[in-house]
Amino acid sequence: MNRPEREQPLGLLMSLSLVIGTMIGGGIYVLPTSLAPLGWNATLGWLICGAGALCLAASFRFLVDGTGEGIQHNIERVIGEIPGFLAIFAYFAAGFTSIAALVIAGGSIIVNLTGVEDGDFYGVAASLALLALITGVNLFSTRSAGRLQVASVAIKVVPLLLVVVTVAGLLLAGSVETKAVASAPINFDNIAAAVALTLFPLLGFEAATIPVNKIRNPRRNIPIAMIGGTIFVVVLYLLATTGLMVIMSSNEIAQSSSPVSDALTMVYGPVLGTVVALCIMVSVTGCANG
């Protein structure tokens, strides 16, 4: 039997934000640099990995039983206690690694924005402060963590959506010049490389099943969050990364350390680079919170 609604503080919006916010971290803002030499193979990589992520999310949707229990419960129910324990332990261990990487990235961004020259000590201090903030929010209440996730998602998608809107505006205005796309041949090896690179940014669709007995109406909200959130992220990634190739050449993207920021700076000016950096810091914070 499900817990009363008052004990299940996460509604549909927070559940969706949990999936979207966990999938979108900091990597998508720099991944186009690695994908650029692969040319149109990168787009095929996104399509293949996106379809795979949706298949996994749909499969997981039929695995969950609508009780609001988590991954361990659902695996135990189907194939036994030992596989269930191993799965959740692996997820738990991966969480430690991911959170460490995310808060270090966030701390580095904070130090870079402040312009501190000897940034090692301050980077560690900023990372620990960021971790303390996230921990404090989660300890305060599950709902406060959900609100942080909704706010971070609203901010983190801004640069990617802005790329999409910018490209759409350029296309409608007819002012798009053909940019040089890398001439990598479309073959199995290049597509496989693109798939390997695009796989990691699409992990996290299962995040809606993690808050055990914390999601309201789990029979409806968990499947919608998993599948709807995954579709949103796949479409956004595909449009934003392909859109970059309209604004910048493949060579420019490959040489950029922050292609999303550089592309928007080319169109709107240098101030937007700082804004995008802030959005990336919020992005990694939201991902760690998830």
Side-chain angles (χ1 to χ4, degrees):
M1 181 180 294
N2 292 342
R3 294 184 180 183
E5 275 200 7
R6 66 178 181 274
E7 296 182 28
Q8 297 173 317
L10 303 181
L12 179 57
L13 179 60
M14 290 184 179
S15 302
L16 276 166
S17 297
L18 186 59
V19 172
I20 295 170
T22 304
M23 292 181 77
I24 301 178
I28 186 59
Y29 293 101
V30 296
L31 184 60
T33 299
S34 301
L35 290 172
L38 296 172
W40 293 112
N41 292 282
T43 301
L44 293 174
W46 283 118
L47 289 171
I48 292 169
C49 273
L54 285 171
C55 288
L56 287 171
S59 300
F60 212 163
R61 175 258 178 273
F62 290 104
L63 177 63
V64 297
D65 58 3
T67 61
E69 297 287 346
I71 290 177
Q72 183 174 0
H73 163 81
N74 288 291
I75 294 177
E76 284 181 355
R77 180 172 56 83
V78 178
I79 56 177
E81 292 184 356
I82 293 178
F85 170 78
L86 291 174
I88 198 63
F89 180 80
Y91 200 90
F92 185 70
F96 272 99
T97 307
S98 300
I99 290 170
L102 289 164
V103 296
I104 288 172
S108 298
I109 293 171
I110 292 172
V111 169
N112 288 335
L113 288 174
T114 56
V116 178
E117 293 183 3
D118 185 11
D120 289 345
F121 171 79
Y122 295 103
V124 172
S127 299
L128 292 174
L130 202 57
L131 180 61
L133 172 64
I134 296 168
T135 304
V137 169
N138 279 266
L139 287 175
F140 186 77
S141 72
T142 303
R143 192 161 182 80
S144 65
R147 287 170 177 160
L148 174 60
Q149 198 68 0
V150 172
S152 69
V153 166
I155 294 170
K156 71 168 62 181
V157 299
V158 168
L160 299 176
L161 287 175
L162 192 54
V163 169
V164 176
V165 171
T166 300
V167 171
L170 292 173
L171 290 172
L172 289 173
S175 58
V176 176
E177 297 179 4
T178 303
K179 302 294 182 181
V181 178
S183 58
I186 297 178
N187 56 36
F188 179 81
D189 289 342
N190 286 332
I191 293 174
V195 168
L197 289 169
T198 54
L199 176 63
F200 183 74
L202 291 171
L203 299 177
F205 59 85
E206 75 293 335
T209 66
I210 300 303
V212 177
N213 289 322
K214 295 292 191 299
I215 293 181
R216 226 173 290 140
N217 193 0
R219 190 175 299 278
R220 177 184 72 110
N221 290 344
I222 289 178
I224 291 175
M226 282 197 299
I227 297 174
T230 303
I231 291 173
F232 175 83
V233 172
V234 169
V235 172
L236 181 61
Y237 281 177
L238 183 60
L239 292 178
T241 54
T242 305
L244 285 177
M245 295 191 290
V246 175
I247 302 174
M248 305 170 68
S249 68
S250 289
N251 188 48
E252 289 173 324
I253 297 173
Q255 293 179 356
S256 172
S257 60
S258 183
V260 174
S261 176
D262 289 345
L264 293 174
T265 298
M266 288 173 64
V267 179
Y268 298 104
V271 174
L272 208 60
T274 301
V275 175
V276 172
L278 288 170
C279 290
I280 295 173
M281 191 269 290
V282 171
S283 182
V284 298
T285 302
C287 191
N289 180 62

